[in-house]
Amino acid sequence: MNPDPTTVAVRHAAAAYALPGPITRIEPLPGGHINDSFVLTCAAADDVERFILQRINDRVFPRPRDVVENIHLVTAHIRAGLERAGVADIDRRVLTLLPTRDGRWCVRRAGGVWRLIRHIDNARAPLAVTDPHQAEQAGLAFGAFQRLLANYDGPRLVETIPDFHHTPTRFDAFDRVVAEDPCRRVARTRDEIAFLRGRRGLASVLLDLQRQGHIPERIVHNDAKISNVLLDREREEWLCVVDLDTVMPGLSLFDFGDMVRSMTSPSDEDETDLSKVGLQPELFAALARGYVAEAGGILTPAERKHLVTAGKLITLEQAVRFLADYLAGDRYYRITRPDQNLDRCRTQIRLIESIESQEAALQDIVAKLF
Ligand code: GN1
Ligand code: MG
């Protein structure tokens, strides 16, 4: 039997690396919307070793070399900080990007650009938050990530996707696709379009604060969702954050906002039963507690003040992005069923409504943390 083309491509890319032994298993790693990821199991001296080999989507990241260079700079800085702090088990507390045989951070093979990282065993990344403990752990993980990078002093990271969290620009792109309506989907999404446009005033709030000098540029993750947090499988405690593709200069509030978006409703991003979607104050409180415990010390007064606003804003931005992609014909986010991007947009809208209806109570929760 001939191996399928994907297996051939994976093996071809893997051959660029000095693995400890022959590959005994290749499994796709599900979850992401953008890249293709595979878990490789290799025979090693007396056991097996696992790795994650990923093909970077170069429609989304046109300069994959910049992506891996950013990841190298950031993980090396975090590793050094953990070493100085005497943290145990460092290989489980930060990703390890592995070089090719000729010392590069990625390799072009089989029509794609690939990179390899060490797999962290006995860990899992939840798809949705189920209880406050998990929300707190995720807050700690991303808070620590920001704290460890606050004293980064290397070369400025490349903006691999310019204006990634520039919400007004996202709205402009959305307007263009609504006007064009290439798939004739506007008529059936009038309500969603009106909802999002009604909140356009929110789009520039954080960027205005940055322009006025109230919130600083930092190095942030930019995709701070629950499925990018690794928890130890037995202890259910945070280990590190993963998926560092979009680590770039940005605002701390982009990450906190994405956490609110993805960690305060115990539902999947594409849930179709909207009665299951809504911000639960206990999850929000646990998330904010964890985040502030790690990152509180680096936050400016304006960053502290806008934590709730950030949640609403990043959820709005994500709704705009999902709906824009739905209207464009699902060209950016991978889908596994029709209307999935519309469903994703609807969960975000439901969440915005839920945040709006509880805003004062959420502000009280935050105020008590400082
Ligand atoms: C995308 O591929 P994935 O799932 O890590 C997206 C994020 C979105 C997220 C929504 C490069 O991330 O911005 O917030 O989906 N990444 C990119 O789930 O666009
Ligand atoms: Mg991502």
Side-chain angles (χ1 to χ4, degrees), residues 39-73:
V39 180
L40 309 184
T41 306
C42 296
D46 49 1
D47 196 356
V48 296
E49 275 185 48
R50 291 188 192 82
F51 301 88
I52 297 182
L53 183 64
Q54 288 171 301
R55 177 165 47 201
I56 304 173
N57 181 331
D58 56 8
R59 274 185 303 115
V60 171
F61 298 102
R63 296 167 61 95
R65 286 184 198 287
D66 290 342
V67 173
V68 288
E69 183 59 25
N70 280 353
I71 296 177
H72 162 61
L73 290 170

Side-chain angles (χ1 to χ4, degrees), residues 32-35 61 164 221-225 227-228 242-246:
H33 302 344
I34 310 279
N35 295 328
F61 298 102
F164 191 61
H221 185 282
N222 282 313
D223 191 10
K225 56 184 184 179
S227 58
N228 287 333
V242 300
D243 181 9
L244 306 180
D245 293 329
T246 48

Side-chain angles (χ1 to χ4, degrees), residues 74-310:
V74 157
T75 52
H77 183 84
I78 293 178
R79 180 173 285 273
L82 295 174
E83 279 166 4
R84 272 196 308 277
V87 171
D89 222 2
I90 289 186
D91 282 344
R92 305 186 81 216
R93 307 312 301 256
V94 60
L95 290 184
T96 311
L97 182 68
L98 296 164
T100 60
R101 290 176 196 275
D102 53 7
R104 295 170 199 275
W105 297 120
C106 62
V107 61
R108 186 171 283 284
R109 285 282 189 287
V113 175
W114 304 73
R115 52 111 188 277
L116 188 74
I117 55 177
R118 200 185 293 290
H119 184 268
I120 298 179
D121 292 340
N122 299 319
R124 69 184 192 93
L127 281 183
V129 165
T130 51
D131 57 51
H133 172 77
Q134 269 184 3
E136 181 169 13
Q137 293 300 310
L140 289 165
F142 278 110
F145 182 79
Q146 287 186 1
R147 177 179 55 73
L148 285 159
L149 288 168
N151 62 354
Y152 174 83
D153 52 3
R156 187 169 190 269
L157 300 186
V158 178
E159 283 190 57
T160 48
I161 305 180
D163 295 333
F164 191 61
H165 278 303
H166 197 286
T167 316
T169 301
R170 298 288 187 182
F171 260 104
D172 293 345
F174 172 70
D175 285 343
R176 283 195 296 275
V177 71
V178 171
E180 236 177 82
D181 195 13
C183 302
R184 298 268 157 267
R185 290 178 172 177
V186 164
R188 81 181 87 130
T189 51
R190 291 261 174 235
D191 291 348
E192 288 81 5
I193 293 170
F195 180 97
L196 299 177
R197 285 186 166 161
R199 282 149 183 82
R200 195 181 202 122
L202 187 60
S204 61
V205 168
L206 298 182
L207 298 169
D208 290 345
L209 287 165
Q210 181 188 15
R211 203 151 9 97
Q212 294 153 8
H214 298 303
I215 47 185
E217 178 182 284
R218 300 181 184 279
I219 296 179
V220 294
H221 185 282
N222 282 313
D223 191 10
K225 56 184 184 179
I226 184 63
S227 58
N228 287 333
V229 177
L230 274 196
L231 301 178
D232 180 88
R233 231 179 240 286
E234 276 106 54
R235 293 181 297 123
E236 285 275 308
E237 280 169 10
W238 70 282
L239 291 169
C240 62
V241 301
V242 300
D243 181 9
L244 306 180
D245 293 329
T246 48
V247 173
M248 278 182 267
L251 305 184
S252 63
L253 291 170
F254 294 160
D255 281 1
F256 188 76
D258 232 340
M259 289 190 255
V260 174
R261 178 186 83 76
S262 70
M263 301 176 191
T264 60
S265 173
S267 48
D268 290 341
E269 196 171 67
D270 62 349
E271 176 61 60
T272 51
D273 178 356
L274 292 179
S275 72
K276 295 188 181 155
V277 181
L279 180 142
Q280 297 198 355
E282 318 74 64
L283 294 178
F284 176 83
L287 165 66
R289 193 166 59 239
Y291 175 70
V292 168
E294 283 286 346
I298 64 165
L299 300 180
T300 66
E303 286 174 312
R304 294 172 179 198
K305 191 171 157 201
H306 291 88
L307 292 167
V308 177
T309 308

